[in-house]
Structure formats: structure tokens, C-alpha cells
Amino acid sequence: MLKGLFWISVFGVLFSYFLYPLLLRLTPRRSGATESHAEPDSPPRVSLIVTAHNEEGRIREKIENCLQLTYSDLELIIASDASTDGTDGVVGEYANQGVLLARAEERKGKEYAQLQAIRKATGDILVFSDVATSIPGDAIGKMVRYFNDPSVGAVSSEDRFVSRDGSVVGEGAYVRYEMWLRGVESDRAGLVGLSGSFFAARRDVCDQDWDILSPSDFNTALNSARKGMVAVTAPDVLGFYQDVADASREYQRKIRTIIRGLTALSRHMEVLDPFRFGWFAFQVFGHKLMRWAVPWFQVLLLVTSFMLAGKGGIYALALLGQLLFYGVVVAGHIKPELREHTFVKIPYFFVQVNLAIARATVDFLRGRRMTVWTPSQR
């Protein structure tokens, strides 16, 4: 029994990060993933929806950024999530430049505010962004070109962090891994989640089944799959945003994000049905569900390794490896300067992420939900 639990836990820890990507790589790419598609006779109209809650101090900069975008047929809508400061007033100053305000009179969360803007939008393509993200001038045109492929229902940008001095922060190993995995998923059944700070979708993907209680970055990918389309990543479309101003809040941000993801999956369990969603269901299982299970497999692996350490070299070696791994993490926690080294930084980040998953799961099972949206201060 113990040996079976040991090997189940080994499989659980390894699956999401290693076996699942390997299985994806062994499957063929979807037809059309690498094909070029003809340009339309005229570019589609685009509605850019920026969601804001009490952003009086930053909304002007965001509007100016959006007004400098070079796309020819662009409608800009600010979705105010029942802002109580001067956000709406600042938006009103730009009315003569065509900037529209879609205000949610009740604060029901980010997705509810986005829904008010969707109802007001006239574009064939809807682009969603937030106040903290800076969009390059040519990004909308690049993003729209992906929709020349009729099988594409949604397009995700790739995030880039900007440090306080204005320089782009170099990508860490984890970010590089995530971007690689997104590319692999994009070429198969499509992304299972978009970059919530900057993504686009066809109008008909958003018109129906817009769930205000689920994160729009997940729900849009799901709606694309419902319509027989895919959500793809656009590595040439970047969104730039600063690191969270208070680094201690990053852990809480992770918890909020995971609770929202758990909420989405609990509301749409049908997405795990392979008979309905095919390979997309497997990708949700591998990337989302099994990854959220990793911290519990870690606990099971450590406990069974202790109990089996005297019953064979493989179990003793597994225990020793884990003790060394967690010892490095503890050392990195006690002496933060050690995290500058890759052999400490990666294990430390891995454990931090899984601690956040475990905490979020417990909070979720206790009934905590994150419907109301609070933007991170950057």
C-alpha cells in the first residue's frame, strides 16, 4: 500500500511539469497551426476594452498609451468597475477624442465590468487589457492578423515585466518554461488560459456564455473551444507591466489567481469531458488540475519516503533528495541573497508557487471566492 502511494506521488509530482509536456510534444500539431492565411480586404474593426477600478492616478497614462496605437479602425472603451474616485471623470475628458465609458453601477467584479463594455462595443474583434499594461504601438495590428486563420477564436499576448528603472526584466527559467509550454499547447488544442492583462477574441466568442463569476482569460479560451476554435499565443505581441510594488503582496496575488482558477473549473467541470472537448480537455487536466494537485503529491511523497526509507535504496535516495531540495529552499528563505543563484532560485520559486496553490485550495474549499477584483498596485 505504502509503495503504491509512493509511486503515485512520484507520478503526480512529475506529470504536470514533465510527462504532460512530453505527451503534448509527441502529438501532432493541429492542421493549420503553421499555415499562412490570406489577409481580409479591409481590416476588421477593433474595440479595445480597458478595465479599471479606482484608477484615477493611472488611467490618464493608459488612455494616452491607447490613443497612440497605430491600428486604423480602433474603438476605445474604458470599463469602470463601479469606480468611486475620479476615474470616470478623467475618462470623460477624452470623450471628444472618441473614448467611451462603460460603467458598471454595481461592483460585481472585473468580468461584470467587461460585460458592460462588450454590450457597448461595435468591433468585430474585442481586445481586453488592464490599466497596468503598456501596449506597443503596432501590437493591435499584429494581434489581429492571427484572426486571418478562421480556426482561431482568441489570441493571447506574452507578458514582459518592467523594473522600476524602466528596463525589461530578464526572463527566468520558470517564465521561459511557461512560454514554451504555451507555444506547444497553442499548436495543439489551443491555450487553456490567456494572459489576462492583454488578449483578444472574436465578437461571437464573447457574445454568449460570458461568465461573470469566472476569469475571462480562462472563460474566453473555453468559449473558443465550445465553438470548435482555438485560443493561440502570439509571441510577437507583448504587454509590458511593472513588478508588483510591494514584493510581499506577490504571494497573495498568486493565491487570488489560483482561487479564481479553481472557481472557474468548478463552475465548468464539463471542460474535462474528452468526448465533448477532445484534446483540449486533456490539456486542462494536465496544465490546470494536475498542477494544482502537485503540492499534495509533494506532501504524500515526503511522508511515504520517510516511512519507506528503511525498505530499499530507492526510497532512502528519494528521501535524501527531498531533504536536500527543501534544505536549499530553507537556506534561500533565511538568506535571500542566495536566491540570486539559479540552483536556489528555481527550487525556492517552485516551493513558493506550490505553497500558494495549497493555501488557495484550502481557502477555496472553505468557501472563499475572489469575484470582486482588486488590481495589484505596481
Side-chain angles (χ1 to χ4, degrees), residues 216-235:
S216 54
D217 51 351
F218 170 79
N219 203 53
T220 304
L222 173 57
N223 284 348
S224 296
R226 281 194 179 111
K227 293 181 175 294
M229 294 185 283
V230 295
V232 301
T233 188

Tab-separated table of all heavy atoms in Angstrom, residues 216-235:
chain	number	residue	atom	x	y	z
A	216	SER	N	-12.042	35.885	-17.098
A	216	SER	CA	-12.285	36.000	-18.536
A	216	SER	C	-11.164	35.378	-19.355
A	216	SER	O	-11.393	34.935	-20.487
A	216	SER	CB	-12.471	37.467	-18.933
A	216	SER	OG	-11.381	38.269	-18.501
A	217	ASP	N	-9.942	35.306	-18.801
A	217	ASP	CA	-8.846	34.715	-19.578
A	217	ASP	C	-9.049	33.214	-19.767
A	217	ASP	O	-8.681	32.656	-20.807
A	217	ASP	CB	-7.490	35.003	-18.929
A	217	ASP	CG	-7.443	34.648	-17.448
A	217	ASP	OD1	-8.489	34.329	-16.869
A	217	ASP	OD2	-6.335	34.694	-16.883
A	218	PHE	N	-9.651	32.545	-18.770
A	218	PHE	CA	-9.980	31.126	-18.915
A	218	PHE	C	-11.270	30.945	-19.702
A	218	PHE	O	-11.359	30.102	-20.604
A	218	PHE	CB	-10.116	30.459	-17.544
A	218	PHE	CG	-10.681	29.065	-17.592
A	218	PHE	CD1	-9.885	27.991	-17.954
A	218	PHE	CD2	-12.011	28.829	-17.296
A	218	PHE	CE1	-10.412	26.702	-18.016
A	218	PHE	CE2	-12.545	27.552	-17.346
A	218	PHE	CZ	-11.740	26.485	-17.703
A	219	ASN	N	-12.281	31.728	-19.366
A	219	ASN	CA	-13.596	31.554	-19.976
A	219	ASN	C	-13.560	31.807	-21.475
A	219	ASN	O	-14.284	31.162	-22.245
A	219	ASN	CB	-14.608	32.485	-19.305
A	219	ASN	CG	-16.034	31.997	-19.461
A	219	ASN	OD1	-16.345	30.851	-19.144
A	219	ASN	ND2	-16.899	32.843	-19.976
A	220	THR	N	-12.716	32.745	-21.920
A	220	THR	CA	-12.615	33.026	-23.358
A	220	THR	C	-11.980	31.856	-24.099
A	220	THR	O	-12.401	31.502	-25.209
A	220	THR	CB	-11.808	34.309	-23.592
A	220	THR	OG1	-12.420	35.390	-22.873
A	220	THR	CG2	-11.764	34.667	-25.064
A	221	ALA	N	-10.972	31.236	-23.494
A	221	ALA	CA	-10.379	30.035	-24.100
A	221	ALA	C	-11.409	28.912	-24.158
A	221	ALA	O	-11.507	28.194	-25.167
A	221	ALA	CB	-9.155	29.598	-23.309
A	222	LEU	N	-12.187	28.765	-23.087
A	222	LEU	CA	-13.222	27.736	-23.053
A	222	LEU	C	-14.299	28.010	-24.100
A	222	LEU	O	-14.732	27.083	-24.810
A	222	LEU	CB	-13.852	27.682	-21.659
A	222	LEU	CG	-15.071	26.777	-21.474
A	222	LEU	CD1	-14.761	25.339	-21.869
A	222	LEU	CD2	-15.569	26.843	-20.031
A	223	ASN	N	-14.739	29.255	-24.220
A	223	ASN	CA	-15.757	29.596	-25.212
A	223	ASN	C	-15.261	29.346	-26.633
A	223	ASN	O	-16.035	28.946	-27.509
A	223	ASN	CB	-16.182	31.053	-25.058
A	223	ASN	CG	-17.099	31.263	-23.867
A	223	ASN	OD1	-17.601	30.305	-23.282
A	223	ASN	ND2	-17.302	32.512	-23.495
A	224	SER	N	-13.973	29.578	-26.867
A	224	SER	CA	-13.394	29.274	-28.184
A	224	SER	C	-13.509	27.781	-28.468
A	224	SER	O	-13.904	27.372	-29.568
A	224	SER	CB	-11.927	29.713	-28.237
A	224	SER	OG	-11.805	31.113	-28.109
A	225	ALA	N	-13.168	26.959	-27.460
A	225	ALA	CA	-13.256	25.507	-27.632
A	225	ALA	C	-14.693	25.071	-27.861
A	225	ALA	O	-14.956	24.162	-28.656
A	225	ALA	CB	-12.661	24.804	-26.418
A	226	ARG	N	-15.637	25.714	-27.174
A	226	ARG	CA	-17.051	25.380	-27.359
A	226	ARG	C	-17.484	25.579	-28.806
A	226	ARG	O	-18.346	24.863	-29.310
A	226	ARG	CB	-17.913	26.257	-26.457
A	226	ARG	CG	-17.975	25.846	-25.003
A	226	ARG	CD	-19.107	26.584	-24.311
A	226	ARG	NE	-19.226	26.194	-22.915
A	226	ARG	CZ	-18.938	26.992	-21.896
A	226	ARG	NH1	-18.495	28.217	-22.121
A	226	ARG	NH2	-19.087	26.575	-20.656
A	227	LYS	N	-16.898	26.568	-29.461
A	227	LYS	CA	-17.273	26.893	-30.833
A	227	LYS	C	-16.398	26.185	-31.864
A	227	LYS	O	-16.438	26.503	-33.050
A	227	LYS	CB	-17.215	28.407	-31.038
A	227	LYS	CG	-18.275	29.162	-30.246
A	227	LYS	CD	-18.199	30.652	-30.496
A	227	LYS	CE	-19.341	31.373	-29.780
A	227	LYS	NZ	-20.662	31.019	-30.351
A	228	GLY	N	-15.593	25.246	-31.395
A	228	GLY	CA	-14.742	24.495	-32.314
A	228	GLY	C	-13.522	25.262	-32.778
A	228	GLY	O	-12.897	24.899	-33.777
A	229	MET	N	-13.163	26.316	-32.037
A	229	MET	CA	-11.990	27.114	-32.370
A	229	MET	C	-10.932	26.963	-31.279
A	229	MET	O	-11.138	26.260	-30.292
A	229	MET	CB	-12.392	28.583	-32.553
A	229	MET	CG	-13.294	28.816	-33.756
A	229	MET	SD	-13.668	30.570	-34.064
A	229	MET	CE	-14.900	30.853	-32.796
A	230	VAL	N	-9.796	27.615	-31.469
A	230	VAL	CA	-8.704	27.513	-30.502
A	230	VAL	C	-8.272	28.904	-30.062
A	230	VAL	O	-8.473	29.895	-30.762
A	230	VAL	CB	-7.485	26.771	-31.089
A	230	VAL	CG1	-7.828	25.317	-31.391
A	230	VAL	CG2	-6.963	27.466	-32.347
A	231	ALA	N	-7.666	28.949	-28.883
A	231	ALA	CA	-7.003	30.159	-28.407
A	231	ALA	C	-5.504	29.957	-28.593
A	231	ALA	O	-4.967	28.908	-28.214
A	231	ALA	CB	-7.324	30.402	-26.932
A	232	VAL	N	-4.834	30.932	-29.196
A	232	VAL	CA	-3.422	30.773	-29.524
A	232	VAL	C	-2.590	31.855	-28.851
A	232	VAL	O	-3.091	32.921	-28.489
A	232	VAL	CB	-3.182	30.809	-31.052
A	232	VAL	CG1	-3.962	29.701	-31.740
A	232	VAL	CG2	-3.533	32.174	-31.632
A	233	THR	N	-1.312	31.585	-28.695
A	233	THR	CA	-0.388	32.570	-28.165
A	233	THR	C	0.267	33.330	-29.316
A	233	THR	O	0.469	32.780	-30.399
A	233	THR	CB	0.688	31.918	-27.282
A	233	THR	OG1	1.450	32.931	-26.630
A	233	THR	CG2	1.619	31.017	-28.096
A	234	ALA	N	0.578	34.600	-29.073
A	234	ALA	CA	1.211	35.454	-30.077
A	234	ALA	C	2.546	35.932	-29.514
A	234	ALA	O	2.605	36.966	-28.831
A	234	ALA	CB	0.314	36.640	-30.417
A	235	PRO	N	3.631	35.213	-29.765
A	235	PRO	CA	4.924	35.577	-29.180
A	235	PRO	C	5.457	36.918	-29.661
A	235	PRO	O	6.369	37.478	-29.040
A	235	PRO	CB	5.841	34.421	-29.595
A	235	PRO	CG	5.158	33.765	-30.751
A	235	PRO	CD	3.701	33.963	-30.545
